[in-house]
Amino acid sequence: IIVGTLFWLDNYTHHNQSYLVPNVKNQTLPEAEQALTTQKLKGIVIDSSYVKGMPSGIILEQTPAAGSRVKEGRTVYLTITTNDVPLVKIPDLIDNSSLRQAEAKLKAIGFKLTEPELVPGEQDWVYGIKYRGKSLKSGDKVPFEAVLTLCIGNTHLRDSLATDTLGLNLEQESEAQVDDSWF
């Protein structure tokens, strides 16, 4: 009975029968499925990833690896490319960091930056971030590698806006008011 059971188990589990997993990396999904089917294997897409400049539906990774020996009907898990550009959250930089800090953080995330837009305020302080002319808030999502514009404070603009229509700046105006109070 024991010997019969062992023979039956060997036959049932296809002992010493295996199929070579083909290399399907860099193939299209239909090509990969065809190559797996000829080896009596199944392919299932479990993940997708964005790769700039690569068409959608190309195999990036496979598990088990190419060259592995597996049983008939085994599932090979595939990761393919997608055309969907991932969205990335804008970090909390607005009115919270200097120009150098903001540039470093945004570039590290993968964003590209244009020439900063100068606004009245403290020198080199970040007062806003724009994407395609639209003002963003912290936490807004924009496409990976988007081109952003930082709105940076400039004391010269602030001082020039403080000048009134008569050409007096705010300090001169307050002195004039003090002089008027003597009369």
Side-chain angles (χ1 to χ4, degrees):
I1 293 174
I2 293 173
V3 173
T5 304
L6 289 176
F7 281 120
W8 176 81
L9 274 174
D10 285 347
N11 188 35
Y12 180 75
T13 61
H14 302 284
H15 190 66
N16 291 331
Q17 294 178 5
S18 63
Y19 293 89
L20 189 64
V21 176
N23 184 6
V24 294
K25 286 185 182 180
N26 298 320
Q27 294 182 5
T28 64
L29 188 56
E31 291 171 343
E33 287 175 341
Q34 179 62 37
L36 293 170
T37 302
T38 58
Q39 290 289 32
K40 298 184 180 181
L41 305 172
K42 296 184 284 188
I44 293 180
V45 176
I46 59 165
D47 199 7
S48 63
S49 184
Y50 174 75
V51 178
K52 187 175 181 175
M54 203 170 209
S56 183
I58 303 295
I59 309 299
L60 294 173
E61 295 178 22
Q62 70 180 68
T63 304
S68 301
R69 292 212 156 280
V70 296
K71 300 284 184 186
E72 178 181 340
R74 171 75 189 263
T75 300
V76 177
Y77 300 101
L78 307 171
T79 300
I80 64 170
T81 58
T82 181
N83 283 336
D84 298 333
V85 179
L87 298 179
V88 181
K89 282 186 180 180
I90 297 292
D92 185 20
L93 301 172
I94 300 168
D95 206 20
N96 196 20
S97 64
S98 69
L99 172 62
R100 272 186 42 203
Q101 290 171 324
E103 284 179 333
K105 283 183 183 178
L106 292 172
K107 286 179 180 178
I109 294 171
F111 293 115
K112 294 176 178 40
L113 300 174
T114 64
E115 194 65 31
E117 180 180 312
L118 299 178
V119 297
E122 292 298 318
Q123 190 69 30
D124 292 337
W125 192 249
V126 177
Y127 286 99
I129 301 173
K130 291 184 177 180
Y131 173 62
R132 294 185 176 173
K134 179 186 171 219
S135 292
L136 301 173
K137 303 181 304 258
S138 296
D140 285 351
K141 291 184 176 184
V142 293
F144 176 71
E145 294 186 341
V147 179
L148 303 176
T149 303
L150 294 172
C151 300
I152 304 302
N154 185 310
T155 54
H156 300 298
L157 287 176
R158 183 186 66 194
D159 293 344
S160 69
L161 286 178
T163 305
D164 69 1
T165 56
L166 297 174
L168 298 172
N169 68 25
L170 292 177
E171 291 174 13
Q172 293 169 333
E173 193 174 306
S174 64
E175 287 174 11
Q177 289 174 354
V178 170
D179 290 339
D180 289 344
S181 66
W182 286 96
F183 297 109

